[in-house]
């Protein structure tokens, strides 16, 4: 039931801190990552030389963050592919390939068929699902469940943060096993993960600022989203949410692509959300994105920056700034996504639309 919430989506966004906490529960023990669910594929994990993540929609965007973590922390070459593209192009699969599928429902037909295809061609399969007993979990060699709780609203929200949490656990576990992470680094990352629910609760308290912003934009016809590095999948997700919920044309770009084409779209009044990288991670990436903001601002864009607390470099150029607490570069996407989810929901509500049941969409896509 919705409880006191205006929609299931609002309720489910409010449950995001718990979705992360519950997905971590019992899996971080004494500075180690404990995932007995991976036991059935332990031999394969010891030998893996390539990972392919298959998923659709929001789940595929969580997969991009999984890729960054798996490569950065475990040093395993990783690709992300949309499930429905994967099996129609003769992908190279060997017994050393691990195919990780991600699906909230665990019933998405495209992803199920990709998992079956991978298994038939000798790859090892691991599924990350949010629904116990789901078909995709049963069809995989191993299954790791996210504990976001049932997601009722058609648009995926809390499942996304739970998926990223689960992928980060797998990446850390592999990094520990392969010796690619120093124990001190592991400890730092685990600490950041465990602190996320509290920080995300703080982000959710800024909901009224986002509602005001959304209400002022209900006549907007197009919104662009820019992000770089781990902010890139967040930009893609922000755009997807806005399309599905508010039926507004939206596109997410890697900020570095701007000058390769999309900057031509910038005209006075164009709304652009920019997910700003942490200045502490890479000074040069931060500076590059701030300079992207200057470039689009100079062409009349209305810029809403999502930036770390204390990042003052964005202030002279952004029309509005949504703040997220410091969490370490890899973890900030888990805080930056909620403002975009809330924005899409509030804009849809301002237009009088049904945020739980957007037109033309089904919660689980069980046809190809
Ligand atoms: C977006 C959304 C969809 C799903 C996609 C995959 O809000 O809900 O893009 O993420 O259909 O669904 P699952 O995760 O159930 O495989």
């Amino acid at each position: 039931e919705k409880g006191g919430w205006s929609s299931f989506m609002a309720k489910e966004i409010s449950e995001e801190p718990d979705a992360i906490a519950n997905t971590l529960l019992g899996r971080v023990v004494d500075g180690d990552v404990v995932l007995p669910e991976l036991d059935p594929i332990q031999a394969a994990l010891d030998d893996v030389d390539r990972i392919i993540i298959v998923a659709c929609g929001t789940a595929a965007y969580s997969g991009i963050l999984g890729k960054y973590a798996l490569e950065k922390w475990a040093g395993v070459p990783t690709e992300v592919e949309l499930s429905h593209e994967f099996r129609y192009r003769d992908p190279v699969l060997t017994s050393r390939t691990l195919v990780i599928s991600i699906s909230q429902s665990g019933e998405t037909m495209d992803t199920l068929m990709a998992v079956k295809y991978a298994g038939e061609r000798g790859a090892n399969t691991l599924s990350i699902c949010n629904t116990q007993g789901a078909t995709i979990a049963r069809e995989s060699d191993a299954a790791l469940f996210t504990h976001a709780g049932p997601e009722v609203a058609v648009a995926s929200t809390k499942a996304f943060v739970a998926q990223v949490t689960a992928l980060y656990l797998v990446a850390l576990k592999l990094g520990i096993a392969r010796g690619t992470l120093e124990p001190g680094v592991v400890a730092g990352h685990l600490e950041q993960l465990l602190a996320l629910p509290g920080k995300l609760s703080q982000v959710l308290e800024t909901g009224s600022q986002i509602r005001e912003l959304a209400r002022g934009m209900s006549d907007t016809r197009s919104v662009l989203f820019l992000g770089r590095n781990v902010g890139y999948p967040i930009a893609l997700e922000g755009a997807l949410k806005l399309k599905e919920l508010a039926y507004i044309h939206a596109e997410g770009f890697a900020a570095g692509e701007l000058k390769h084409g999309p900057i031509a779209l910038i005209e006075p009044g164009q709304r652009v959300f920019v997910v700003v990288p942490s200045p502490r991670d890479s000074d040069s990436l931060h500076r590059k994105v701030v300079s992207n903001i200057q470039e689009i601002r100079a062409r009349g864009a209305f810029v809403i920056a999502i930036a770390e607390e204390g990042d003052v470099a964005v202030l002279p150029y952004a029309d509005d700034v949504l703040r997220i607490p410091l969490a370490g570069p890899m973890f900030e996407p888990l805080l930056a996504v909620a403002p975009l989810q809330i924005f899409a929901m509030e804009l849809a509500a301002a237009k009088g639309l049904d945020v739980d049941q957007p037109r033309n969409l089904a919660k689980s896509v069980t046809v190809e």
Side-chain angles (χ1 to χ4, degrees), residues 157-170:
T157 54
K158 61 179 180 171
F160 174 83
V161 292
Q163 285 157 354
V164 177
T165 302
L167 286 160
Y168 280 13
L169 285 174
V170 172

Side-chain angles (χ1 to χ4, degrees), residues 77 99 165 286 294 300 320 331 368:
V99 172
T165 302
H286 176 264
Q294 286 173 260
D320 211 334
F331 303 94
E368 274 192 271

Side-chain angles (χ1 to χ4, degrees), residues 127-281:
S127 65
I128 295 180
C129 288
N130 193 48
T131 312
Q132 294 287 332
T135 312
I136 292 173
R138 280 188 279 114
E139 288 290 333
S140 303
D141 298 322
L144 178 62
F145 287 95
T146 47
H147 297 300
E151 206 179 53
V152 176
V154 163
S156 191
T157 54
K158 61 179 180 171
F160 174 83
V161 292
Q163 285 157 354
V164 177
T165 302
L167 286 160
Y168 280 13
L169 285 174
V170 172
L172 289 171
K173 176 135 196 85
L174 273 180
I176 295 167
R178 294 164 74 94
T180 46
L181 283 176
E182 299 288 331
V185 173
V186 174
H189 290 344
L190 291 176
E191 200 180 306
Q192 290 289 8
L193 265 181
L194 292 166
L196 277 172
K199 292 177 185 175
L200 187 46
S201 299
Q202 271 174 260
V203 173
L204 297 180
E205 283 166 18
T206 64
S208 51
Q209 181 196 353
I210 302 167
R211 187 181 314 129
E212 285 314 305
L213 181 70
R215 283 185 179 163
M217 282 169 64
S218 54
D219 59 344
T220 303
R221 297 176 55 100
S222 161
V223 182
L224 304 180
F225 295 78
L226 298 179
R228 190 156 183 163
N229 194 263
V230 289
Y232 170 49
I234 300 305
L236 296 175
E237 175 62 1
L240 178 60
K241 283 288 156 297
L242 197 59
K243 287 177 226 184
E244 4 175 40
L245 292 159
Y247 316 150
I248 289 175
H249 172 258
E251 260 193 272
F253 299 110
E257 272 298 283
L258 204 56
K259 55 185 162 307
H260 300 286
I263 198 163
L265 288 170
I266 306 294
E267 55 187 15
Q270 172 69 51
R271 306 304 212 262
V272 186
F273 278 85
V274 183
V275 185
V276 181
S278 165
R280 295 165 306 133
D281 177 30

Side-chain angles (χ1 to χ4, degrees), residues 56-59 103-105 108 154-156 240-241 244:
C56 303
T58 293
S103 177
Q104 188 288 128
S105 62
T108 298
V154 163
S156 191
L240 178 60
K241 283 288 156 297
E244 4 175 40

